[in-house]
């Protein structure tokens, strides 16, 4: 169920949009935790501020889609 929810088009589109904006300067990983009831959102970008902004945007969408 969680994998299906994570890859709903809204979430997939949000991730793809940010990946395209990052290009080769960063990457995004979104996956359910194997040990806790949560979804891990990891972002690498040229700056910490950019990574945090993207991570928060994706996490907010995942939260709203899982409720």
């Amino acid at each position: 169920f969680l994998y299906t929810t994570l890859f709903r088009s809204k979430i997939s589109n949000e991730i793809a949009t940010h990946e395209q904006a990052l290009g080769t300067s960063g990457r995004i990983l979104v996956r359910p935790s194997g040990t806790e009831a949560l979804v891990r959102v990891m972002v690498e970008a040229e700056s910490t501020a950019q990574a945090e902004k993207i991570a928060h945007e994706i996490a907010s969408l995942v939260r709203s889609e899982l409720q």
Side-chain angles (χ1 to χ4, degrees), residues 26-67:
R27 62 184 176 162
I28 299 170
L29 175 64
V30 178
R31 67 172 186 82
S33 171
T35 59
E36 300 175 86
L38 55 86
V39 174
R40 299 190 186 282
V41 178
M42 294 166 270
V43 179
E44 293 178 359
E46 289 183 355
S47 72
T48 302
Q50 182 184 25
E52 287 178 353
K53 179 180 182 291
I54 292 169
H56 286 291
E57 288 176 11
I58 293 171
S60 292
L61 181 59
V62 168
R63 250 186 242 107
S64 69
E65 290 293 305
L66 292 176
Q67 290 181 359

